[in-house]
Amino acid sequence: MQEDNNISETKVKDLTIISNTELSIWEALIPVVILMGLLAYNIFFVEDQEWFGAYTNQIILLLGAGVAIIDGLFNKVSIRLMVKEIWENLRSVFVPIMILFLVGALAGTWLVSGIIPAMVYYGLQVLSPEIFLPASVIIAAIISIATGSSWTTSATVGIALIGIGSTLGIPTGMIAGAVISGAYFGDKMSPLSDTTNLAPAMAGTDLFTHIRYMSLTTVPTIIVTLIVFTILSTTVETNGNTDTAFLLETIRTNFNITPWLFVVPLTVIALILFKVKPLIALLTGVVLAAIFALVFQTDVINKLSSSKVDVISNAVLTDTNIEIPNEEYVATFTKEELDVIKSNDDLNNIFTDDDVENIYTKEDLENVFVGLSLSQTEAATKAENLEKLITIKRLKKLFGSGGMNGMLWTIFLIVCAMVFGGVMDAIGALSRITQALLKMATSVFGLFASTVASCLGLNVIASDQYLALVIPGKMFKQAYEDRGLAPENLSRTLEDSGTVTSVLIPWNTCGAYQSGVLGVGVSEYFFYAIFNWLSPFTTLLFAAFQIKIKQLQGKTAS
């Protein structure tokens, strides 16, 4: 089928925006509605959310792409153009996919070399549960401002903070939300960030004007975020009563802990600061960690395998699990007592591959043995040993890695999302939906609201934060100027709604990356990524009350 004159292409910053006059808004929405419907059915009506097995979300995205292809064929879009756009989309995520592979290798080698255990060991002595969550936001923000990358932040300090916090018993969703909030604040405010440079380029303003103007909404949002996490830190039930000495002793017994191990992560961060390409910086981190493993963790390597090459290759490619013995504490229980422990569905997981998910106080653990002929002192001793078994179980989960192989699910998700987004772009659906939103803007607030809706929608449909900045940036630029609004209003809104919300979509490249790297599902951290979902509301609040809405010189907003 030949392309008709209804198809037109516009090049913006190496990205192509395709318009199709044949395609109606209802036809543009058909693939989106079907995609959302299938995803909703899987979430609410399918047990374990695995309608098509482990790769359900990926298959649903491909089904959505199939519907979009049929939609395009009916609207005179050639297969050649659709294949071309899919290829362009896949090519655009080649580097992120390579980064994901390297992050998998990084996690494995940093575990075997003792770097992650060292971070947890020293972190437990510095970060208490009372300050952990707000401290995580601040630490992630500082690293992200310095590097200009939320991805680098998650792959380095983010992994460490997840380890420290989970050891303290803080829910991983909260920790990931704190890390992501801080990382995206830093990413937005850093002049080194690619999105921070892209947004003003799309809107027609300069970088530092954009950053200054963006701070008006971004700083209040991060302050609210810090307040919420501070409150959460005082209310969340943690393992604050856990014997930290036992945790530290267990880590020290199984790894050679030394400050020299921090040379590797500091080198990676330094390379990023000196603007070395992320692939090279992360590869350096993998190689150095492998060397440090051979130097500092000979006992760990000998326990895992007689072959040092096998240990390092498994850490990079497949999986690594550091075994922490628990037989000493299991032996303190009688058969009757073990049966009582195993009768608890959650505590039984101490002896299985599943996680012990609940948080238990000393009183809770003593109550496990109610009904047995135990004195109060004996029950307290049993509870203490049971707590140590729970701690060992959680450390075993922490000290395990899937290597590059562990990233395949995430990478397949990104590939399928790019296929769906590529077809939607090729048939002109992305620009058609954005144009429809633009037509709905009949006031200044309506214009801001349409921009936010467009950015959010494109993060869902196109699965790429760059398209969520570029397409609305091009489509809405003239509308802001016509209403007498300075371009920094548009650039700020693009960032407040496009950059930060990408991580809240499971199949968006950012959501898939953060979920894969931190090992926490988007649904688990969504609510706690406070900065990310609060930012669009802040920018709309400013627009609704005309707070700091800058006009073009000599013009009044209408």
Side-chain angles (χ1 to χ4, degrees):
M1 184 179 294
Q2 294 297 315
E3 293 178 54
D4 204 342
N5 293 329
N6 57 295
I7 304 293
S8 63
E9 298 183 3
T10 305
K11 281 282 188 180
V12 182
K13 290 289 179 182
D14 299 324
L15 293 171
T16 303
I17 301 173
I18 297 176
S19 299
N20 184 353
T21 57
E22 290 282 331
L23 191 73
S24 71
I25 181 60
W26 305 112
E27 290 171 322
L29 288 172
I30 288 173
V32 180
V33 171
I34 291 177
L35 175 68
M36 294 297 104
L38 292 173
L39 289 169
Y41 180 83
N42 181 60
I43 292 170
F44 296 110
F45 298 104
V46 178
E47 187 177 355
D48 297 328
Q49 298 180 11
E50 293 189 354
W51 191 5
F52 301 110
Y55 293 96
T56 294
N57 286 347
Q58 290 88 333
I59 292 172
I60 289 175
L61 282 165
L62 292 178
L63 289 173
V67 172
I69 289 172
I70 296 170
D71 200 1
L73 291 174
F74 274 105
N75 285 278
K76 304 179 182 179
V77 181
S78 70
I79 289 291
R80 185 186 66 80
L81 179 59
M82 288 187 266
V83 171
K84 174 189 170 188
E85 286 305 306
I86 291 173
W87 170 247
E88 290 297 326
N89 265 19
L90 291 175
R91 194 173 66 170
S92 72
V93 295
F94 175 76
V95 172
I97 286 174
M98 290 299 101
I99 288 175
L100 272 171
F101 272 127
L102 283 177
V103 167
L106 196 79
T109 53
W110 282 24
L111 173 61
V112 171
S113 62
I115 295 168
I116 292 175
M119 288 177 171
V120 174
Y121 180 84
Y122 291 111
L124 285 171
Q125 299 175 65
V126 176
L127 296 173
S128 67
E130 293 76 19
I131 65 166
F132 182 82
L133 292 173
S136 296
V137 175
I138 294 170
I139 292 168
I142 291 171
I143 298 298
S144 195
I145 289 173
T147 61
S149 171
S150 57
W151 285 32
T152 300
T153 300
S154 298
T156 51
V157 298
I159 293 174
L161 290 169
I162 290 286
I164 297 167
S166 59
T167 304
L168 290 170
I170 299 172
T172 53
M174 283 189 187
I175 307 166
V179 170
I180 289 168
S181 292
Y184 274 79
F185 167 79
D187 194 307
K188 279 182 69 179
M189 299 305 293
S190 174
L192 302 177
S193 169
D194 50 2
T195 56
T196 306
N197 282 271
L198 180 61
M202 290 295 95
T205 186
D206 67 271
L207 173 63
F208 289 101
T209 297
H210 165 65
I211 291 175
R212 285 194 300 271
Y213 198 67
M214 186 169 54
S215 67
L216 297 173
T217 55
T218 302
V219 172
T221 305
I222 197 65
I223 290 173
V224 171
T225 300
L226 284 168
I227 291 171
V228 173
F229 276 117
T230 301
I231 294 171
L232 281 175
S233 292
T234 62
T235 59
V236 68
E237 191 175 0
T238 69
N239 289 341
N241 295 325
T242 298
D243 186 359
T244 305
F246 175 73
L247 274 170
L248 299 176
E249 179 189 352
T250 303
I251 295 172
R252 196 168 52 243
T253 299
N254 288 275
F255 294 93
N256 177 20
I257 302 299
T258 168
W260 284 108
L261 294 169
F262 287 95
V263 169
V264 178
L266 289 174
T267 299
V268 172
I269 293 172
L271 289 173
I272 296 292
L273 288 174
F274 283 104
K275 298 183 179 180
V276 174
K277 291 184 180 299
L279 285 174
I280 297 175
L282 293 174
L283 181 60
T284 302
V286 172
V287 173
L288 284 177
I291 295 171
F292 273 52
L294 298 174
V295 173
F296 292 104
Q297 308 300 337
T298 52
D299 289 343
V300 172
I301 290 176
N302 290 335
K303 286 179 185 177
L304 290 171
S305 173
S306 58
S307 169
K308 294 178 181 179
V309 174
D310 286 347
V311 173
I312 300 301
S313 63
N314 285 341
V316 171
L317 298 173
T318 55
D319 56 0
T320 300
N321 291 289
I322 308 297
E323 286 299 322
I324 301 176
N326 66 359
E327 291 81 5
E328 175 186 350
Y329 302 102
V330 173
T332 63
F333 297 98
T334 65
K335 182 181 183 304
E336 183 183 13
E337 290 163 353
L338 286 174
D339 288 341
V340 169
I341 294 171
K342 292 178 180 180
S343 67
N344 181 303
D345 290 339
D346 188 45
L347 291 175
N348 181 55
N349 293 344
I350 291 171
F351 310 100
T352 69
D353 293 332
D354 297 318
D355 301 328
V356 178
E357 296 179 349
N358 294 329
I359 303 297
Y360 294 93
T361 64
K362 288 277 177 62
E363 185 179 355
D364 292 333
L365 296 178
E366 288 180 14
N367 289 336
V368 169
F369 302 102
V370 170
L372 299 179
S373 301
L374 296 175
S375 67
Q376 187 173 354
T377 302
E378 289 174 327
T381 302
K382 298 291 183 182
E384 184 178 335
N385 288 335
L386 182 54
E387 184 179 33
K388 289 178 178 178
L389 283 176
I390 294 171
T391 299
I392 290 173
K393 175 67 178 184
R394 288 183 170 139
L395 284 175
K396 281 184 177 181
K397 179 189 177 184
L398 176 62
F399 297 151
S401 168
M404 287 186 177
N405 187 58
M407 291 295 170
L408 288 177
W409 188 93
T410 301
I411 289 168
F412 187 29
L413 181 67
I414 291 174
V415 168
C416 293
M418 289 299 99
V419 171
F420 177 76
V423 177
M424 289 293 287
D425 191 16
I427 68 175
L430 302 185
S431 62
R432 175 63 68 193
I433 293 170
T434 304
Q435 288 167 2
L437 289 169
L438 180 55
K439 289 178 181 178
M440 296 169 61
T442 58
S443 63
V444 170
F445 176 76
L447 184 59
F448 278 86
S450 294
T451 309
V452 170
S454 179
C455 291
L456 291 173
L458 285 166
N459 266 326
V460 172
I461 301 167
S463 309
D464 184 88
Q465 70 171 348
Y466 297 107
L467 286 174
L469 296 178
V470 169
I471 294 177
K474 176 185 179 295
M475 298 291 185
F476 284 82
K477 182 178 179 180
Q478 188 60 48
Y480 275 75
E481 185 177 335
D482 291 343
R483 291 190 179 274
L485 296 169
E488 46 266 40
N489 289 288
L490 175 57
S491 65
R492 181 177 74 184
T493 308
L494 292 174
E495 287 252 62
D496 283 345
S497 53
T499 300
V500 298
T501 60
S502 57
V503 74
L504 304 176
I505 313 301
W507 55 88
N508 189 287
T509 51
C510 295
Y513 174 87
Q514 298 291 350
S515 176
V517 168
L518 297 176
V520 183
V522 174
S523 60
E524 294 178 70
Y525 71 64
F526 185 100
F527 178 77
Y528 299 107
I530 298 164
F531 176 80
N532 300 72
W533 58 255
L534 187 58
S535 290
F537 290 104
T538 305
T539 205
L540 289 175
L541 183 68
F542 273 54
F545 291 96
Q546 296 285 299
I547 303 171
K548 297 296 182 181
I549 305 300
K550 187 177 179 182
Q551 278 83 47
L552 291 169
Q553 289 186 354
K555 290 191 177 183
T556 304
S558 58

